Amino acid sequence: MLPGVSSPLGILASLLVLGALVLFTLFQLKRRQRAAWEAFAKANGLICAEKRLEVQGRYRGHPLLLATGKRGAGGKRRHTVTVARLDLEGALPADLLLEYERPEDKVPGAATPREELLGDAELDAAFQVENLAPEARPVLLTPEVRQRLLGLRGHRRVSIKGGWLQVEQRGVPASTGALDALLRAPHELARAVTEAAPALPSPRTMEGSPHADEELPGSEHA
């Protein structure tokens, strides 16, 4: 027992002080996060939403949606994630689904069918593939695309769905450097994919972009 806090009033006062310190720390963290996202958006010519952490626009040549979301079934398992989505602008078929999820993040008992394979041992060991069109295989097996895909295995979840590359990590970046670091590898993959594709249609607008709070491939929602 700490000196001076042995009485019920002393214990209550200590708990109130501790609670106030926790709230102040969280408030300061939220301010740093908000300031970092606004600065990142301004530096890259993007738009930052006023009432939530969400940035969108054209980031170094690719339409981007960067936002936060909640995952987990509730209680201690519920947590915040940051989701980055980059439009591949038609470089891969829209019905192609390619997913990676870290083993520790998989839902217990979830089925992992292996009906389609890329034909590359490392990629097939890491990614689930569905609707693999013939024109998509050579793009994904291009040496640089393959290298970039395998390089994303450190993220919590990675997917290509509906023509969008999506990468997810736990937590919320609180500095422009952390935001740059989050987007570096996904952007390099998006660039490699679009360069490997034989032809691209006209770019889509951001209006068709799904919000990060909507159902995501492999995501858990309460």
Side-chain angles (χ1 to χ4, degrees):
M1 189 71 69
L2 295 176
V5 295
S6 56
S7 69
L9 285 178
I11 295 174
L12 178 59
S14 298
L15 291 174
L16 289 174
V17 170
L18 180 60
L21 287 174
V22 170
L23 289 175
F24 177 75
T25 301
L26 290 174
F27 174 74
Q28 290 292 91
L29 176 59
K30 295 290 186 183
R31 287 188 61 182
R32 289 200 304 273
Q33 290 170 345
R34 181 72 194 177
W37 285 55
E38 288 179 347
F40 174 81
K42 183 177 181 180
N44 290 280
L46 306 171
I47 298 172
C48 186
E50 292 184 6
K51 297 183 179 180
R52 60 182 181 270
L53 288 182
E54 180 178 299
V55 168
Q56 60 177 307
R58 201 164 187 88
Y59 175 76
R60 301 181 182 179
H62 290 272
L64 165 72
L65 171 67
L66 182 67
T68 61
K70 294 292 184 181
R71 300 290 179 268
K76 292 183 178 179
R77 292 182 59 86
R78 192 161 178 80
H79 54 275
T80 302
V81 297
T82 300
V83 180
R85 279 176 165 152
L86 288 160
D87 191 352
L88 299 178
E89 301 186 286
L92 290 170
D95 58 351
L96 170 69
L97 173 61
L98 183 144
E99 289 184 293
Y100 164 79
E101 184 178 22
R102 292 192 310 186
E104 59 266 35
D105 288 318
K106 289 182 181 294
V107 178
T112 55
R114 293 284 184 178
E115 296 180 357
E116 296 183 68
L117 298 173
L118 287 165
D120 180 282
E122 255 192 297
L123 288 175
D124 288 329
F127 291 91
Q128 299 289 329
V129 185
E130 294 180 16
N131 302 320
L132 180 61
E135 64 269 25
R137 188 188 301 271
V139 174
L140 295 171
L141 294 180
T142 299
E144 186 174 2
V145 173
R146 177 186 181 277
Q147 177 187 352
R148 301 298 184 192
L149 275 171
L150 293 172
L152 288 178
R153 287 177 294 179
H155 290 77
R156 183 173 183 264
R157 288 190 176 103
V158 178
S159 68
I160 294 175
K161 182 181 181 181
W164 289 78
L165 166 65
Q166 177 176 296
V167 174
E168 180 178 313
Q169 74 170 28
R170 282 189 178 232
V172 180
S175 70
T176 55
L179 288 165
D180 282 327
L182 169 63
L183 289 172
R184 186 174 300 118
H187 178 265
E188 288 174 349
L189 172 58
R191 177 188 54 78
V193 167
T194 54
E195 289 180 355
L200 302 177
S202 299
R204 296 197 300 260
T205 66
M206 291 299 293
E207 294 177 1
S209 166
H211 190 276
D213 287 333
E214 295 177 4
E215 187 64 28
L216 306 173
S219 67
E220 306 164 30
H221 288 263

